[in-house]
C-alpha cells in the first residue's frame, strides 16, 4: 500500500467517526440532561412543581407557533413556584440551591433554534479542525519525506508524539470542559474529535514503521496496531460510540495490514475475537447498538473470506470465534438488556391486522444486531459447502455447530427473531446444497488425511447433520415455549412453526437424497419419534390452560401429522401408503372426541388433499403394470374407496363440530372423493381394464353425465336434511358441470353423427338410449326435484338441457331408422327421413307443451315453442325444396294442423283464470 491510498483510508475513517458521532450521541446526551436536571430539582426541593413545568414546556414546544405567549406564561408560573418553594425552605438551602435550580430550569426550557453563527463557529469549526489536525500530521510527515529534512525514525517519532499529544489534549479538555458546552454541542465534542485524530495518527505511524520503512516486524506491528485499536475502544467509554467504531475499524483492519508468509490462523481469530469481546463489553456499558452490529459484520466477513480464499482450511479457529460471538450475544451484549416481551400480551392486545403483527415481530429495536449476527454465522456455514480448498474437519460438523448455536440464540431471547428464522432456513439450505452440488465430502476428507469411521451408506455424516439439526430446532422451540412463550405470542407461533415444518423438511430431504427409498428404518423411526414428540408438546401446551398457546398448539399438531406421513412414506408405497394416509387423518378425527383442538378436523382435510395429490401423481395407485383388469374388484376399489369412505365418515362424525369452515371443507372434499371413486371405477371398467388419457366413448361419457346428475341430486337431498353451503352450492355446481358435458361432449365431440361410432343393432336399447334418452330423463327428474328448492334460472337450465337431449335422441333415432346402425354425416339424407324429422319435432313440441301445461312450467312451454319454430323453419326452408309430390303436401298439411291445434291450446292456457293456477308450482 502506498502513502496516498493510506491517506485516503485514514480520511475515510475519520469522516466515518464524525458522521457516526452526529447520528448516535444526540439521544444519549438528551437522556443525560434529563437525569441531571431531575437530580438538581430534587435536591432543591422543587421537583414536583418543576416537573409540572417541564410537562407544560413540552406542550408549549409542540404548539409554539400557534401560541407564542405560552412560553412566557410557563416562565412566570415557574417563577412563582420557585418563590413558594424558597419561602417554605430554610434560608441557607435557598441560597445554596437557587443557582442549580435556576440552571436546571434553564436547561429544561424550550431551546431556541440554533443560529447559523453557532453552527458555523461552534460545530463546523470543530469538525473541520479535527480533520485538519489529522491531515496536518500526515502532510507534515509527507513533506519531511519529500524534503529529506528528517530521518525516517525521527519523523515517525514526532508523528507518534503528535498523536499522543492529541489524545492527551482531548482528555484534558474533557476533564476541564464546561458542562453547558458539552451539553449544547454534543455532536461536536472537541475531546472526542482530538482523540480520534490522535488515534488515526498512531495507526498511520505504526503502519508506516512496518509497511514502508521496515523498522519493525509483522509481529510487533500487529501488537502495536492492536494496542492502539483496543486503547481507542477503551477511550470510547469516555468519548462516545463513534470512537468505539474507529477502534473497531482499526482492530478489524489490523490483520489485513500485516502480511506474513506463515500466517497463524489461531492468532488471527483469537485477536479478532478479543476485539469483538472488547467492543461488546464497551457496548454493554454504554448501551450501544451500532458498533456491536459492525463488530458482528467484521468477524463474519473475516471468517467468510478465510474460508473462501484459503487453499487449506483449518475450520476450528473461525468456527470457535463465531460460536464465541453467539455466546457473547446471548450473555454479554445485548444479553438480557433487550430481552423484553411486547408491551401487550395476547389477552390485552388491541386487535390488529396480521401483516402489522408480522412486521412488528420482524422489525424489533434490535434489528441490526439480529441480522448482522445471523448473516455473520450463516454465510460462513454455507461457505464451507462451497470451499475449494481442503478442510481438516467434516463440513457437516461445522455447519451443524454454527446453525445449532444460531438456533440457540433464537430460542434464548425475545428479540432474536431473525436468528430463529435464518437458522431454520440455513439448515434446510445446507442440507439441500450438500446433495445438489454433488460434493464428495468423504473423499474430500480422505484427501486431507482425516479419517472418518466406516459407514454403511457413505452418507452417515450428512444424515446425522440433517436429523440432528431437526432435533435441535425442536429442542430450541420447546425451550422458548416453556420459558418465554406465554410472554410473546407472536414469537411462540414462529417457533412452533419452525418445530413443525423444518425438522420434517430436513428429514424428507435427507431421506430423498441419502436414504433407502425402498424401506428406511432410520428415517422411519425419526419421523415416528418426531410425531409423538410434537403431539406430546401439544398436550403439554393444552394443559397450560393459556390462550396464548392456542395457535402454537394447532401448529404442533399439524407438524405431528407431517412427521407421521414421513414415517409412512419411508416404510410403505403404493396402495398401502395411500390408504394409511387417510387412516392417520381419520385417527385425528377420532381424537376430537377427547380434545376439542380446532385443528383436528383440518388434519383429516390435509390428509385427504395429500391422498388426492398421490392420486394425481399416480392415478392407478399401484402402477399400470400392477393394476388388474377385473372391473370394480381391483386395487382402485380400496385405493379410491377407503379414503372416500373415511372422508365421508369424518364429515358425518364432525357434523356438530363448532368450526364451520372445517366442517364445510370436509363435506366438500368427501363429496369430491366419493364421486371420483365411482367415476374412476367406471373408467376402468369401460376402458378394458386400463387407465389412460384416451378420449372416452359416448357410452362412458354418458355414465359420467348420469353420475354427475345423480351426485347433484344427492347433495340436494343432504342439503335438505342438513343445510350446508357446501351441499347447496355443490349440487348446483354439479348440475352446471353436467350441462357443460352435454353441450361439449354429447352434442359435438362424441356425437355418432360426427364420429361415425356404431350405435348398436338393437332398435331401442342402443347407444342412443344411454347417450341421450337416459340423461334427458335424468335432467327432467332433477329439474322436477329442484323446483322450489333451487333458483328458477337453475331449474330452467336443467329442464332445457333435458329437452335438448330428448330432441337429440328423437332426431338421431329417426336417422338411425332410415340409415341403419351407422348414422355418420357422410351418408346424406333421404326424402322419407327429412319428412320424418318434421313429424317428430312437431310431436316433441306438442309433448313439451302438454307437460308444460300439466306442471305449469313456463320453461317447457318455451322449449315447445322453440321446437315448433324449428319445424316451421324446416318446412319452409328445407321441405319445400327437397320433398316432392305427396310428401311435400302432407308435410305442409300436417304442419298447418299442428300449428292450429297449438294455437288453440295456448289460447285456453293463457285465458285461464289466475285462481285456477297452483302458485306453489309456478315456474318463473
Amino acid at each position: 500500500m502506498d502513502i496516498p491510498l493510506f491517506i485516503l483510508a485514514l480520511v475515510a475513517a475519520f469522516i466515518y467517526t464524525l458522521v457516526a458521532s452526529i447520528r448516535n450521541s444526540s439521544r444519549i446526551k438528551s437522556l443525560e440532561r434529563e437525569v441531571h436536571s431531575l437530580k438538581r430539582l430534587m435536591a432543591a426541593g422543587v421537583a414536583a412543581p418543576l416537573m409540572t413545568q417541564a410537562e407544560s414546556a413540552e406542550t408549549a414546544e409542540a404548539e409554539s407557533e400557534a401560541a407564542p405567549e405560552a412560553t412566557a406564561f410557563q416562565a412566570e408560573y415557574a417563577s412563582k413556584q420557585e418563590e413558594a418553594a424558597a419561602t417554605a425552605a430554610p434560608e441557607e438551602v435557598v441560597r445554596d440551591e437557587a443557582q442549580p435550580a435556576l440552571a436546571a430550569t434553564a436547561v429544561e426550557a424550550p431551546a431556541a433554534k440554533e443560529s447559523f453563527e453557532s453552527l458555523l463557529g461552534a460545530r463546523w469549526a470543530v469538525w473541520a479542525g479535527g480533520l485538519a489536525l489529522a491531515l496536518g500530521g500526515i502532510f507534515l510527515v509527507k513533506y519531511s519525506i519529500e524534503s529529506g529534512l528528517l530521518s525516517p525514525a525521527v519523523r515517525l517519532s514526532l508523528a507518534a508524539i503528535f498523536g499522543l499529544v492529541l489524545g492527551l489534549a482531548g482528555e484534558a479538555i474533557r476533564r476541564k470542559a464546561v458542562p453547558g458546552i458539552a451539553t449544547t454541542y454534543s455532536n461536536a465534542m472537541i475531546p472526542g474529535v482530538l482523540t480520534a485524530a490522535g488515534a488515526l495518527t498512531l495507526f498511520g505511524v505504526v503502519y508506516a514503521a512496518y509497511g514502508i520503512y521496515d523498522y519493525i516486524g509483522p509481529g510487533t506491528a500487529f501488537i502495536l496496531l492492536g494496542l492502539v485499536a483496543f486503547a481507542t475502544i477503551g477511550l470510547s467509554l469516555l468519548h462516545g460510540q463513534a470512537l468505539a467504531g474507529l477502534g473497531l475499524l482499526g482492530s478489524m483492519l489490523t490483520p489485513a495490514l500485516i502480511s506474513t508468509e506463515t500466517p497463524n490462523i489461531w492468532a488471527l481469530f483469537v485477536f479478532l475475537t478479543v476485539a469483538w469481546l472488547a467492543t461488546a463489553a464497551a457496548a454493554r456499558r454504554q448501551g450501544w447498538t451500532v458498533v456491536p452490529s459492525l463488530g458482528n459484520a467484521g468477524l463474519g466477513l473475516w471468517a467468510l473470506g478465510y474460508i473462501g480464499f484459503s487453499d487449506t482450511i483449518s475450520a476450528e479457529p473461525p468456527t470457535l470465534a463465531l460460536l464465541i460471538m453467539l455466546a457473547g450475544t446471548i450473555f454479554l451484549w445485548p444479553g438480557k438488556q433487550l430481552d423484553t416481551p411486547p408491551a401487550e400480551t395476547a389477552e390485552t392486545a388491541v386487535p390488529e391486522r396480521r401483516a402489522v403483527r408480522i412486521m412488528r415481530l420482524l422489525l424489533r429495536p434490535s434489528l441490526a444486531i439480529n441480522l448482522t449476527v445471523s448473516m455473520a454465522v450463516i454465510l460462513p456455514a454455507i461457505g464451507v459447502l462451497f470451499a475449494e480448498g481442503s478442510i481438516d474437519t467434516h463440513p457437516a460438523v461445522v455447519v451443524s455447530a454454527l446453525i445449532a448455536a444460531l438456533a440457540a440464540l433464537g430460542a434464548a431471547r425475545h428479540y432474536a427473531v431473525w436468528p430463529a428464522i435464518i437458522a431454520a432456513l440455513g439448515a434446510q439450505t445446507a442440507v439441500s446444497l450438500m446433495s445438489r452440488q454433488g460434493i464428495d465430502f468423504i473423499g474430500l476428507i480422505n484427501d486431507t488425511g482425516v479419517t472418518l469411521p466406516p459407514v454403511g451408506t457413505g452418507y452417515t455424516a450428512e444424515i446425522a447433520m440433517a436429523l440432528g439439526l431437526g432435533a435441535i430446532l425442536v429442542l430450541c422451540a420447546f425451550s422458548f415455549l416453556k420459558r418465554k412463550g406465554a410472554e410473546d405470542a407472536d414469537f411462540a407461533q414462529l417457533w412452533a412453526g419452525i418445530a413443525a415444518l423444518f425438522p420434517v423438511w430436513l428429514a424428507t430431504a435427507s431421506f430423498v437424497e441419502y436414504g433407502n427409498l425402498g424401506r428406511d428404518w432410520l428415517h422411519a423411526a425419526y419421523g415416528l419419534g418426531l410425531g409423538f414428540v410434537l403431539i406430546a408438546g401439544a398436550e403439554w401446551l393444552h394443559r397450560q390452560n393459556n390462550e396464548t398457546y392456542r395457535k402454537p398448539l394447532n401448529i404442533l399438531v399439524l407438524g405431528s401429522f407431517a412427521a407421521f406421513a414421513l414415517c409412512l412414506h419411508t416404510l410403505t408405497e403404493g396402495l398401502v401408503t395411500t390408504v394409511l394416509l387417510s387412516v392417520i387423518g381419520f385417527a385425528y378425527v377420532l381424537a376430537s372426541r377427547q380434545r376439542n383442538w380446532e385443528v383436528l378436523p383440518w388434519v383429516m382435510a390435509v390428509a385427504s388433499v395429500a391422498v388426492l395429490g398421490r392420486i394425481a401423481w399416480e392415478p392407478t395407485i399401484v402402477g399400470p403394470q400392477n393394476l388388474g383388469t377385473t372391473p370394480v374388484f381391483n386395487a382402485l376399489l380400496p385405493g379410491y374407496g377407503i379414503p372416500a369412505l373415511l372422508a365421508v365418515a369424518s364429515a358425518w362424525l364432525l357434523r356438530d363440530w363448532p368450526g364451520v369452515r372445517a366442517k364445510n371443507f370436509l363435506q366438500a372434499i368427501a363429496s369430491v372423493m366419493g364421486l371420483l371413486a365411482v367415476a374412476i371405477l367406471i373408467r376402468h371398467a369401460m376402458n378394458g381394464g386400463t387407465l389412460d388419457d384416451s378420449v372416452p366413448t359416448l357410452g362412458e361419457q354418458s355414465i359420467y353425465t348420469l353420475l354427475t346428475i345423480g351426485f347433484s341430486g344427492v347433495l340436494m337431498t343432504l342439503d335438505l336434511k342438513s343445510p350446508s353451503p357446501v351441499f347447496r352450492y355443490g349440487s348446483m355446481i354439479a348440475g352446471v358441470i353436467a350441462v357443460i358435458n352435454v353441450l361439449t361432449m354429447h352434442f359435438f365431440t362424441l356425437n355418432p353423427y360426427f364420429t361415425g361410432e356404431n350405435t348398436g343393432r338393437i332398435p331401442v336399447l342402443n347407444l342412443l338410449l344411454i347417450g341421450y334418452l337416459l340423461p334427458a330423463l335424468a335432467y327432467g327428474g332433477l329439474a322436477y326435484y329442484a323446483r322450489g328448492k333451487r333458483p328458477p334460472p337453475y331449474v330452467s337450465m336443467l329442464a332445457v338441457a333435458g329437452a335438448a337431449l330428448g330432441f337429440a335422441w328423437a332426431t338421431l333415432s329417426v336417422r338411425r331408422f332410415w340409415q341403419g346402425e351407422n348414422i355418420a354425416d357422410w351418408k346424406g339424407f333421404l326424402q322419407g327421413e327429412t319428412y320424418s324429422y318434421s313429424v317428430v319435432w312437431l310431436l316433441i313440441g306438442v309433448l313439451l307443451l302438454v307437460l308444460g301445461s300439466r306442471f305449469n312450467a313456463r320453461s317447457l312451454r318455451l322449449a315447445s315453442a322453440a321446437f315448433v319454430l324449428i319445424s316451421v323453419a324446416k318446412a319452409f326452408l328445407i321441405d319445400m325444396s327437397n320433398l316432392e309430390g305427396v310428401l311435400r303436401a302432407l308435410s305442409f298439411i300436417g304442419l298447418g294442423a299442428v300449428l292450429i291445434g297449438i294455437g288453440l291450446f295456448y289460447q285456453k292456457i293463457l285465458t285461464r283464470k289466475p285462481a285456477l293456477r297452483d302458485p306453489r308450482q309456478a315456474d318463473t
Side-chain angles (χ1 to χ4, degrees), residues 852-868:
S853 174
R854 169 66 179 81
F855 298 109
N856 193 23
R858 189 165 66 95
S859 58
L860 292 180
R861 297 197 300 269
L862 293 176
S864 170
F867 283 114
V868 172

Side-chain angles (χ1 to χ4, degrees), residues 849 853 856 861 900-914 916-917:
L849 182 59
S853 174
N856 193 23
R861 297 197 300 269
I900 292 173
I902 290 174
L904 179 61
F905 197 78
Y906 260 102
Q907 290 175 6
K908 291 185 178 181
I909 293 175
L910 297 178
T911 55
R912 272 184 195 170
K913 293 182 180 181
L916 298 178
R917 299 182 185 180

Side-chain angles (χ1 to χ4, degrees), residues 722-738:
S722 178
S724 168
V726 173
F727 297 148
R728 182 164 57 256
Y729 295 110
S731 64
M732 291 190 286
I733 291 173
V736 171
I737 292 175

